[in-house]
Amino acid sequence: TLKSKLAKFCQDVQAELPACPFITDKIKVRIGRPVEEIMQEVEKNDYDMVVMGAHGHGILADAVLGSVSRRVVRRCKKPVLVVRLPEAQN
C-alpha cells in the first residue's frame, strides 16, 4: 500500500541520516482533487512544510513543475519542497 511505502521511505531516510532524523507523526493519504485536498489539510493543521514528489514527464520536465505542484507552491502559505522522484518510481 502507499502508506507502507511511505513508512519504509521514512525509515530508510532515518537509517541513512541518523544525525538528521526524519520524524513523522502521521502519514495521510486522501482521495479527491489533489490541490484542494492538500490546501484543506494545510489550513486545518499546523505543519512546518509541505513536501511533494514530482514526476518528470515530457521534454520540459526539468524546467517546469507539474500542474499540481505549481498550484500548491502558488497557493500555500507554508514552505513547499518539491522532490523529483527517481525514474524507477515514475
Side-chain angles (χ1 to χ4, degrees):
T1 69
L2 183 55
K3 281 187 180 184
S4 63
K5 288 180 182 180
L6 288 170
K8 182 174 178 349
F9 169 79
C10 294
Q11 290 171 351
D12 292 347
V13 170
Q14 277 186 297
E16 283 186 39
L17 302 168
C20 184
F22 192 84
I23 300 167
T24 57
D25 292 329
K26 295 179 186 177
I27 295 174
K28 296 184 180 189
V29 177
R30 306 275 299 262
I31 296 173
R33 295 171 51 201
V35 175
E36 298 307 318
E37 293 294 329
I38 293 166
M39 297 311 301
Q40 286 176 17
E41 184 67 27
V42 171
E43 288 172 12
K44 283 190 228 173
N45 297 283
D46 186 31
Y47 295 115
D48 297 322
M49 174 185 288
V50 175
V51 180
M52 301 180 66
H55 296 280
H57 296 297
I59 296 170
L60 298 175
D62 290 334
V64 297
L65 295 174
S67 60
V68 171
S69 300
R70 185 179 61 247
R71 286 184 281 168
V72 171
V73 167
R74 278 193 210 152
R75 291 178 55 186
C76 193
K77 295 176 184 173
K78 298 288 184 173
V80 179
L81 173 65
V82 181
V83 179
R84 181 156 183 191
L85 299 172
E87 289 296 323
Q89 294 182 8
N90 285 339

